[in-house]
Amino acid sequence: MDYTKGFPLYHPVCIGNLKLDGNLFLAPIAGYSDRAFRSICIENGASYCTTEMVSAEALVRGSGKTESLMAKASTESVYAVQLFGGNPEVMAKATICVLEQTDCTSIDINAGCPVQKIIKSGAGSVLTREPELLYKIVSAAKKASESYFKDHLERGNVPITVKIRSGWDSEHLTWKETVPAAIEAGASALTIHARTKAQGYEGKANWEIQQKVVSLAQNKIPIFGSGDANSPETARKMLLETGVDGVMFARGAMGDPFLFRRTKDFLCNGTYSQESVQERIVAGFKELELNCADFGEKAACLQMRKKFCAYSSGLRGGAKLREQIVKASTVQDYKNIFAFVTENMLRS
């Protein structure tokens, strides 16, 4: 079914009182959606980005690491901070911490992460099988946000959003319970990753569930889709077939911030052009430079190994190139590696 008749595929979206110019989003990806990468995604057409997930417990305890996770990128005028936790009281306190320490424009609650470390803390996908607890957590965060803004009228209200999975496993598809729980608790938007906790990141996302979630929400709040949207074509297909208000890219955007630009062009004009190899290398070095400023050269270079492997995907001789990348420890190492690539490109 075509859900977009008479309505452009690429369009503005409202999350509570927050108005976004477009509907292509970067998901909170652990180890990827730091502010350096988000900055480059925004430059290349992302409408909205979310930070890596932040532990509510660590934030309330005053962990220094959480502050760097929540920092806004230089190119971001709007952005979301994602929290995970399983205790409503702690989530309320963490919400206040986020509002005091950042100027984020929304707070997202993680109710979908399938990683065992997060599950053991009583957060993430655990909330897919405990809709009552999800309701309490969203409600607590919402009330904390409203309470904060009663004393800070100069700053616009920050809406609370939720990211869920379709359920715990194929025998326990609980979206019919979790979606109303989130809406009734006051969520201003919801993202549905149409995989179960048991699937992790494997198998196929069930877009039929996304379509049903859209119907269940009855236009009360915007619904965004995640899962198997990894190209302009699949993003368009998701919008057309499920009726979601926007597409949230996750693994498809890893090492490919240009995905947003290509998708926006495709949705608006029906065509798009592939970025050049040189553009990809330049983007990688810009991300490296930004991360060096945030974390220092040693930590940034180690972190950028996996990211440069992604940036180099599809390059001629990529396997050999990646053998060198995973050994790089300094900025000069990366310069030497890619100077060789550029020199070969010019010769060919």
Side-chain angles (χ1 to χ4, degrees):
M1 183 180 293
D2 184 343
Y3 283 91
T4 62
K5 290 179 179 177
F7 199 68
L9 289 170
Y10 181 79
H11 55 80
V13 172
C14 288
I15 300 175
N17 63 333
L18 172 64
K19 185 172 181 179
L20 305 175
D21 293 335
N23 59 340
L24 301 176
F25 312 125
L26 174 67
I29 314 168
Y32 265 89
S33 52
D34 51 46
R35 69 174 184 167
F37 184 62
R38 298 198 319 269
S39 175
I40 295 170
C41 288
I42 291 292
E43 287 181 356
N44 284 281
S47 311
Y48 201 54
C49 299
T50 306
T51 67
E52 299 175 70
M53 58 182 176
V54 175
S55 165
E57 293 278 357
L59 185 57
V60 169
R61 290 197 307 267
S63 169
K65 186 179 179 183
T66 57
E67 189 173 344
S68 63
L69 289 174
M70 297 190 299
K72 184 170 75 171
S74 60
T75 57
E76 289 179 313
S77 58
V78 292
Y79 79 114
V81 170
Q82 189 185 67
L83 291 174
F84 74 89
N87 182 305
E89 183 179 348
V90 173
M91 288 292 276
K93 290 179 180 178
T95 297
I96 297 297
C97 290
V98 173
L99 297 175
E100 289 177 340
Q101 297 176 30
T102 78
D103 57 354
C104 72
T105 44
S106 70
I107 295 175
D108 188 61
I109 293 173
N110 185 317
C113 181
V115 175
Q116 195 59 27
K117 179 181 177 181
I118 306 301
I119 297 296
K120 282 183 177 180
S121 73
S125 287
V126 168
L127 301 180
T128 64
R129 60 182 184 183
E130 297 189 34
E132 290 183 4
L133 178 57
L134 176 62
Y135 174 89
K136 291 177 181 178
I137 285 174
V138 176
S139 180
K142 175 79 170 177
K143 289 176 182 176
S145 177
E146 291 174 344
S147 173
Y148 178 86
F149 287 107
K150 283 182 181 177
D151 299 322
H152 300 80
L153 297 176
E154 73 283 355
R155 184 176 170 189
N157 190 37
V158 169
I160 306 297
T161 65
V162 182
K163 190 169 189 280
I164 67 167
R165 283 188 172 236
S166 55
W168 186 257
D169 55 34
S170 60
E171 301 298 316
H172 301 87
L173 296 174
T174 52
W175 57 270
K176 289 182 181 177
E177 292 75 39
T178 52
V179 171
I183 294 173
E184 290 166 18
S188 294
L190 183 142
T191 300
I192 170 69
H193 181 165
R195 284 186 173 88
T196 64
K197 178 269 175 190
Q199 281 181 280
Y201 301 101
E202 303 298 325
K204 188 176 181 181
N206 187 342
W207 287 3
E208 185 179 348
I209 288 176
Q210 290 182 349
Q211 178 185 335
K212 291 177 178 178
V213 168
V214 170
S215 297
L216 184 62
Q218 297 180 331
N219 294 317
K220 292 177 182 176
I221 62 172
I223 302 296
F224 309 132
S226 180
D228 293 346
N230 49 28
S231 68
E233 291 82 1
T234 51
R236 181 179 186 277
K237 185 176 171 66
M238 180 185 285
L239 289 165
L240 287 171
E241 292 185 1
T242 71
V244 292
D245 295 284
V247 175
M248 185 172 281
F249 292 114
R251 286 177 296 165
M254 290 164 59
D256 186 12
F258 307 99
L259 176 59
F260 297 97
R261 186 173 70 191
R262 295 197 304 271
T263 303
K264 181 178 177 181
D265 287 346
F266 189 59
L267 296 182
C268 293
N269 307 313
T271 61
Y272 63 90
S273 58
Q274 196 74 30
E275 70 283 351
S276 68
V277 171
Q278 192 62 33
E279 283 182 291
R280 289 162 68 182
I281 293 173
V282 168
F285 274 99
K286 183 167 186 180
E287 187 174 350
L288 173 59
E289 179 185 357
L290 292 169
N291 273 325
C292 282
D294 281 345
F295 308 115
E297 182 176 5
K298 182 178 179 180
C301 287
L302 289 175
Q303 182 188 46
M304 285 299 297
R305 286 176 177 177
K306 64 185 176 185
K307 295 191 174 187
F308 266 119
C309 282
Y311 276 116
S312 65
S313 177
L315 293 185
R316 188 174 54 201
K320 277 192 172 182
L321 183 64
R322 285 186 281 279
E323 287 178 10
Q324 298 176 63
I325 289 172
V326 297
K327 297 174 184 175
S329 299
T330 66
V331 172
Q332 191 59 51
D333 286 344
Y334 286 111
K335 287 181 178 179
N336 293 341
I337 291 167
F338 284 96
F340 180 75
V341 172
T342 304
E343 184 180 337
N344 281 355
M345 284 170 52
L346 291 173
R347 286 178 180 172
S348 61

